[in-house]
Amino acid sequence: MTADWLKSRKLLPLWVALALVAQPQLSGNGLPDFGPAPSYADDDDGDDGDDGDDGGGGSSGRPGNSGDSAGAPAARTPLPNLFRKLTDRLMPRDERRQTRPRRSEPLPDRAPDEIVATGLTAAQLAALETGGFSVIERADIVGFGGEVLRLRIPEGTELEAARDVVAAAAPQSTADFSHYYRSEQGAECAGPGCASTSLIGWPGMSDLPAGCSGSATIGLVDTAINPDHAAFAGGQIEVVRLSDATLPASGKQHGTAVAALLAGAADSRAPGLLPGAKIVAVDAFHRGGRRDDRTGVVELIRALDLLDRRGIKVANMSLAGPPNVVFERLLGSLAADGMVIVAAAGNGGPKAPPAYPAAYDGVIAVTAVDRNRRVYRRAARGEHIDLAAPGVDVWTAASVSGARTKTGTSFAAPFVTAAAALLKSANPDATSSDIVTALGQSAEDLGEPGKDATFGWGLINVSAACAAAEKA
């Protein structure tokens, strides 16, 4: 007998004992049962192949239902896993599996070989083309009074150096990287849904105060949307696909949920704040190589230009990304022309740098709170935060059918957008600053007295704001 065989004989009782301890329960058909089956969200099976719309599980989609069966047996460790772990312990150290969790790389925030510029003359562009730059896309933007160009940089040139070349060739121009922006959704949140409308004093649509009267048309820049969802049965949503048709379409979870919060039909499972509002939804996103839904800065500029050309003066942007000087210039121009833009504060966490466009002057930045008025733990902070609204465990449409809870600053922004649309419809000359003042003066102060970096002016109270506007 060899020493290895003797060693295995001595270990045999240990293997048998462990096998007996880990013996799985038998199901009714006599087959092993290694624990309860997973629960799935209500009416959301096959939701774009993603059971958790916001990158996490934990909710059944029904308020107050965790999805677990009462008295279900505790899960047991499957035997293959147990034996695999035991084998690893018995093997020599240098032969053990070297499986360590891989650190995920951060998602890219810009195109690796593009520059975006506006204000170039024909001669300056020709000189850049002679130097190896090439035009990828031209967009005629009213707010700029000219073109925005996407330029491919010369091969072998570093991105920062290419931007400097453009700036030097055309000192009067505005140039920056071709940044990416992503929808600002958070993790799926378990637990009962909250009465979001009562939390913010949302007025009944049948008896609106004079300070918030009138019909509303809202622009929405977001991911793909499912226009066939029952929440849009009234036909109040128009979807314009702006992203390149050759690129993979983005998921519909985020855009459908945000649109339903704004204007879901009153008799659907996902009633919206303004069921009679007209929504012009611009699908500016595509599915990136890392399975993330992203949009480029030029697509965002074109989307806002489309809304501006249609005369839409209130827009929701539940998305975030880095600062971009070309984007900033257009947003400033639109704000000066009376467009009210509401943006999600971002879900990078309390220590994250400011997210854009929310952090730009003239854009209303919205953070999220739960039903107990506590700030969403992943919400961004900063002096640019203007207002707070419900954004944790908010009930809205799933992408295929039915409804589920959603969490993130993305889903807080529509509450402020809807309020802004009411105030703007009653007073078309109201600016973003006027809207923030009206909502801020009537808000429930949640943090330090006055405006603070966590809640801004506080949790909006729409009825109070409408009443104050009526007296003004």
Side-chain angles (χ1 to χ4, degrees), residues 25 145 244 276 318-319 350 390 393 418:
Q25 294 183 350
D244 189 338
S318 290
L319 50 90
D393 212 14

Side-chain angles (χ1 to χ4, degrees), residues 206-226:
S206 60
D207 188 26
L208 283 173
C212 286
S213 61
S215 59
T217 299
I218 298 173
L220 174 62
V221 182
D222 216 294
T223 66
I225 292 171
N226 176 15

Side-chain angles (χ1 to χ4, degrees), residues 198-242:
S198 61
L199 192 67
I200 62 171
W202 188 256
M205 294 295 99
S206 60
D207 188 26
L208 283 173
C212 286
S213 61
S215 59
T217 299
I218 298 173
L220 174 62
V221 182
D222 216 294
T223 66
I225 292 171
N226 176 15
D228 298 323
H229 195 289
F232 309 127
Q236 68 272 36
I237 184 167
E238 175 189 356
V239 181
V240 181
R241 175 76 189 274
L242 189 63

Side-chain angles (χ1 to χ4, degrees), residues 116-336:
V116 175
T118 185
L120 296 173
T121 66
Q124 291 167 340
L125 177 59
L128 289 171
E129 290 178 320
T130 300
F133 287 85
S134 59
V135 177
I136 303 171
E137 179 183 4
R138 296 173 181 265
D140 185 18
I141 305 299
V142 172
F144 285 135
E147 287 184 324
V148 172
L149 301 175
R150 282 176 61 208
L151 301 174
R152 182 87 66 197
I153 68 175
E155 187 175 353
T157 304
E158 292 186 355
L159 197 57
E160 290 79 1
R163 182 180 59 178
D164 294 343
V165 168
V166 175
Q172 85 289 351
S173 71
T174 304
D176 209 335
F177 305 127
S178 185
H179 284 120
Y180 295 139
Y181 297 77
R182 294 179 172 86
S183 56
E184 278 305 279
Q185 55 191 10
E188 195 72 21
C189 183
C194 61
S196 302
T197 54
S198 61
L199 192 67
I200 62 171
W202 188 256
M205 294 295 99
S206 60
D207 188 26
L208 283 173
C212 286
S213 61
S215 59
T217 299
I218 298 173
L220 174 62
V221 182
D222 216 294
T223 66
I225 292 171
N226 176 15
D228 298 323
H229 195 289
F232 309 127
Q236 68 272 36
I237 184 167
E238 175 189 356
V239 181
V240 181
R241 175 76 189 274
L242 189 63
S243 55
D244 189 338
T246 63
L247 296 173
S250 61
K252 299 177 181 179
Q253 298 97 323
H254 189 271
T256 301
V258 173
L261 276 172
L262 288 169
D267 59 351
S268 71
R269 289 194 60 198
L273 296 160
L274 298 170
K278 169 71 175 178
I279 305 294
V280 178
V282 184
D283 172 10
F285 282 71
H286 65 276
R287 183 59 56 90
R290 298 274 296 278
R291 300 289 297 169
D292 61 302
D293 290 336
R294 66 177 69 163
T295 183
V297 66
V298 173
E299 283 76 13
L300 292 182
I301 289 171
R302 290 177 61 211
L304 289 173
D305 182 60
L306 182 152
L307 297 177
D308 185 38
R309 289 172 185 264
R310 292 201 180 190
I312 296 171
K313 292 302 181 181
V314 178
N316 187 95
M317 302 187 78
S318 290
L319 50 90
N324 183 286
V325 295
V326 182
F327 192 22
E328 181 181 15
R329 180 182 161 191
L330 176 66
L331 289 166
S333 174
L334 294 175

Side-chain angles (χ1 to χ4, degrees), residues 10-85:
K10 292 177 181 179
L11 289 173
L12 183 60
L14 175 62
W15 281 75
V16 173
L18 287 171
L20 290 173
V21 170
Q23 182 180 3
Q25 294 183 350
L26 296 180
S27 64
N29 57 12
L31 297 176
D33 181 2
F34 293 115
S39 59
Y40 294 93
D42 177 43
D43 284 339
D44 209 36
D45 291 348
D47 192 4
D48 286 346
D50 180 9
D51 182 54
D53 279 358
D54 296 320
S59 174
S60 70
R62 295 182 189 271
N65 181 2
S66 67
D68 294 333
S69 301
R76 294 176 178 266
T77 304
L79 286 176
N81 290 343
L82 180 64
F83 287 143
R84 194 155 47 239
K85 292 179 181 179

Side-chain angles (χ1 to χ4, degrees), residues 2 22 62 112 314 363 372 382 394 419 425:
T2 66
R62 295 182 189 271
V314 178
V363 176
N372 294 314
V394 174
S425 64

